[in-house]
Amino acid sequence: MSTVPVTPQPAVSAPAPEAGVPGQAPASVRSAGPRGRRLWLAGVCLLGVLALLAVLGPLAGSPYTIHTASLDANGLPAGVGSGGHLLGTDSIGRDMLARSLYGLRATLIIALVANVTSVGLGALVGLVAGFYQGWLGQCLMRLVDVFLSIPTVLSGLALASIVGRGTTGIIVVVTALYWAWTARLVHGETVRLRNRGYVEAALAHGVSRHTALRRHVLPHLSTLLLNVAALNGAAVVVVGAGLSYLGAGIQPPTPELGNMLADGSDSMTYAPHTLIVPLVLIIATVLAFVLIAEGLNRRNPLSERRSWLDA
C-alpha cells in the first residue's frame, strides 16, 4: 500500500520584536525630548512674561495712592475696567493693577532668593554627607531628619516671629523650611553615585575625594538639582504667599500676593476682583515652575516617572 508523503508545516513562531536602528534610541525615548522641550519652553515663557510684568510695575503707578474718586456713593470700589482702572481698585480705592504688579515683584524676588539659598544649602549638606560619610555625614543627616520632622506651617509661623516679618524674614523662614528636602534628595543620589565603579576606580588610583566629587559626581547631579530648584520654586511661592496671608510675612500696605489675597478675601462678596487677581497671579507663577520642572524631567531619557501631564 502506497503512502502519501506529508509535507512538514513550518512552525508558527511569535513575531519578533521590532529591531531598533543601531545607535538610535527607541521611539518613546525620542519623543520624550520634544515633549519636554515644549513644556520647558512654555514654563520659561510664562515665567518670563510674569517677570516682565513685575519689572514694568512702576509704569502702572503707585500702589499706595488712594483714589477716592473711584469709590461710589456707597463706598464700593471700582470694578474691572471702570473708573480708568484696568483691574479696578481695592476696598479703599488703591489701583489693583499697580498693587498686583508690585506684589508679583515681591513674590518673584522671594521665590528666586529663597530658592537659591535653600537649594544651595541643601545641595552642599547632601553632597558632603553622601560622599564623605563617616561621623560628619551621620550628624548632618540627623540634623536633616530633625528639620523634616517639624510641621511646615507651625515652624514657619514660629520662625517668622523670631526673625521678624518682611522680605528678609520670609526668605530666611522659607530657606530654613526647604533646605532639608533638597539635602535628603541630594544625599540619596550622591550615595548611589559614590558606589559606582568609575568613582571607586578613581579613588583607588589616588584621585583625591574632592576631585572625584567635583569631576565624577557633581556633573551627574545637574539634572536633579535643576528639577529640585524648579519644584522648590513652586513650593516657595505657595509657602511665601501663605505666610503673608496668615500675617507672618510681608505686612500691608506693602503689596505682596499673599497679603493681597487676605485683603481680597475680606471684600470678596462685593468686590470679587480683589481676590481673583492675586489668586490668578499665584496660580500662574506656580504653573510656570511646574512646567519647567516637568519639561526638565521629560528631557531626561532615563526618567520613567509619569504625571498628570502625560497624554
Side-chain angles (χ1 to χ4, degrees):
M1 183 177 59
S2 61
T3 59
V4 179
V6 179
T7 305
Q9 298 294 327
V12 179
S13 59
E18 182 181 356
V21 179
Q24 186 175 2
S28 59
V29 175
R30 294 197 305 270
S31 61
R35 287 201 305 266
R37 191 177 302 109
R38 287 193 294 268
L39 290 174
W40 178 84
L41 185 60
V44 170
C45 290
L46 178 57
L47 189 60
V49 170
L50 294 173
L52 181 61
L53 291 175
V55 171
L56 298 178
L59 298 179
S62 173
Y64 305 105
T65 302
I66 298 177
H67 304 274
T68 55
S70 65
L71 303 176
D72 61 11
N74 297 322
L76 298 178
V80 177
S82 62
H85 302 280
L86 183 61
L87 297 180
T89 59
D90 64 0
S91 58
I92 62 176
R94 295 172 296 190
D95 186 74
M96 279 296 296
L97 177 60
R99 290 187 63 79
S100 298
L101 296 184
Y102 274 91
L104 179 62
R105 175 188 294 184
T107 299
L108 290 178
I109 290 175
I110 292 173
L112 176 63
V113 178
N115 199 15
V116 170
T117 54
S118 62
V119 172
L121 178 60
L124 178 62
V125 172
L127 279 170
V128 172
F131 192 82
Y132 294 95
Q133 300 177 352
W135 65 269
L136 178 60
Q138 291 294 327
C139 292
L140 290 176
M141 294 314 297
R142 298 296 76 76
L143 181 63
V144 169
D145 292 338
V146 170
F147 273 84
L148 290 178
S149 64
I150 302 175
T152 302
V153 177
L154 295 180
S155 58
L157 294 175
L159 285 173
S161 63
I162 296 174
V163 301
R165 296 170 174 85
T167 303
T168 304
I170 201 170
I171 288 174
V172 173
V173 170
V174 174
T175 301
L177 292 177
Y178 279 95
W179 73 270
W181 296 97
T182 305
R184 172 60 68 185
L185 291 173
V186 173
H187 173 264
E189 187 68 11
T190 303
V191 171
R192 187 181 69 85
L193 294 172
R194 173 67 173 78
N195 296 325
R196 288 292 182 89
Y198 57 87
V199 177
E200 294 181 348
L203 295 175
H205 282 77
V207 176
S208 65
R209 290 191 294 178
H210 176 72
T211 303
L213 175 64
R214 179 171 53 87
R215 291 184 178 179
H216 303 295
V217 175
L218 190 57
H220 294 278
L221 293 174
S222 58
T223 302
L224 173 65
L225 291 177
L226 288 174
N227 276 275
V228 169
L231 289 176
N232 221 27
V236 166
V237 171
V238 173
V239 172
L243 290 175
S244 295
Y245 180 86
L246 296 174
I250 298 178
Q251 301 298 303
T254 303
E256 198 270 340
L257 296 181
N259 59 37
M260 289 181 62
L261 203 61
D263 294 339
S265 62
D266 296 332
S267 56
M268 179 179 61
T269 55
Y270 57 88
H273 65 278
T274 59
L275 176 69
I276 295 174
V277 171
L279 181 61
V280 168
L281 290 177
I282 291 175
I283 293 175
T285 308
V286 172
L287 179 62
F289 282 109
V290 171
L291 288 175
I292 293 174
E294 185 68 22
L296 290 172
N297 178 73
R298 287 177 179 241
R299 293 186 69 177
N300 180 13
L302 299 180
S303 176
E304 298 178 354
R305 185 173 64 85
R306 299 181 60 87
S307 73
W308 57 276
L309 289 173
D310 288 324

